[in-house]
Amino acid sequence: DAGVIQSPRHEVTEMGQEVTLRCKPISGHDYLFWYRQTMMRGLELLIYFNNNVPIDDSGMPEDRFSAKMPNASFSTLKIQPSEPRDSAVYFCASSPSGRMAYYGYTFGSGTRLTVV
Amino acid sequence: KQEVTQIPAALSVPEGENLVLNCSFTDSAIYNLQWFRQDPGKGLTSLLLIQSSQREQTSGRLNASLDKSSGRSTLYIAASQPGDSATYLCAVRKQAGTALIFGKGTTLSVSS
């Protein structure tokens, strides 16, 4: 398996523009997580899905952020409109359930977002 | 609300030294605890995972312990090398179907 795949790796956009981050989890993993990492706040959970259904979105900063998981192999995190304070590294991770949860999370390489 | 704290925030040691990184968590009712390594500008690599019923896990020069009752975990690195320089993150999971909560990490620098 190629692991958790995120795209793009880097994104530079102007304030007010829409940004879409993409994630492909590991096949067979039924949990998918979106995290944001900044120097000040560390790694923060934004939202997570189980079997494509959002379970907890309490970490989503505000209505400008939205996430979808239309099928088991794809998820998006959208920011509209983007603001400079959204600049961060966004990570996607996936995890199996049941007995396989023993093996924990696998993270993608992240998307470094810069909003100017 | 679960909070995870890692002390120290940064640590510098000479090559060859044995060292301990500390992690504490406020709610002892956890499902498992996971240690990650993050190199600058990179993603997270899982190092060790300890289930709530376990006391420790070992991988090569790394040993992680868990004391659930006191809300503490340690990551022991033996005979440190410059290649161990990275940020080490501790994270806990309350239940099988919940998300990992992370500490802010300890940034380790090993000088040759």
Side-chain angles (χ1 to χ4, degrees), chain B residues 2 10 13 19 26 29 33 40 48 50 68 85 87 96 102 108 112:
Chain B
Q2 178 74 272
V13 301
L19 58 100
T26 54
L33 181 146
L48 290 164
I50 309 177
K68 237 180 48 166
S85 299
T87 296
F102 282 83
L108 172 66
S112 56

Side-chain angles (χ1 to χ4, degrees), chain A residues 5-75:
Chain A
I5 300 173
Q6 291 187 246
S7 64
R9 290 295 307 275
H10 303 274
E11 177 80 32
V12 180
T13 190
E14 291 185 349
M15 183 174 61
Q17 296 298 306
E18 177 180 294
V19 176
T20 300
L21 310 181
R22 297 172 176 80
C23 176
K24 175 179 169 56
I26 291 175
S27 178
H29 283 194
D30 46 11
Y31 283 92
L32 184 139
F33 306 85
W34 282 100
Y35 285 86
R36 177 172 68 176
Q37 186 177 39
T38 61
M39 288 291 293
M40 288 295 294
R41 301 173 69 91
L43 268 163
E44 301 174 285
L45 176 70
L46 297 176
I47 185 171
Y48 76 96
F49 297 83
N50 178 222
N51 292 323
N52 314 336
V53 176
I55 302 300
D56 183 355
D57 66 355
S58 59
M60 295 287 262
E62 48 200 272
D63 292 345
R64 298 184 297 106
F65 285 68
S66 62
K68 294 182 179 180
M69 192 164 186
N71 57 62
S73 59
F74 184 66
S75 177

Side-chain angles (χ1 to χ4, degrees), chain B residues 11-92:
Chain B
L11 180 64
S12 293
V13 301
E15 182 178 6
E17 192 162 300
N18 302 325
L19 58 100
V20 174
L21 307 182
N22 296 295
C23 171
S24 62
F25 43 96
T26 54
D27 185 349
S28 61
I30 64 170
Y31 175 71
N32 59 29
L33 181 146
Q34 201 163 353
W35 282 94
F36 293 87
R37 169 183 172 140
Q38 186 176 28
D39 293 289
K42 304 292 185 183
L44 280 71
T45 301
S46 180
L47 297 173
L48 290 164
L49 185 150
I50 309 177
Q51 300 298 331
S52 61
S53 58
Q54 298 174 326
R55 296 284 292 183
E56 65 178 350
Q57 285 285 337
T58 298
S59 176
R61 295 183 294 109
L62 305 180
N63 175 276
S65 68
L66 174 64
D67 184 343
K68 237 180 48 166
S69 61
S70 67
R72 294 179 187 275
S73 175
T74 61
L75 179 67
Y76 175 82
I77 302 176
S80 58
Q81 303 170 358
D84 295 330
S85 299
T87 296
Y88 291 82
L89 293 152
C90 166
V92 298

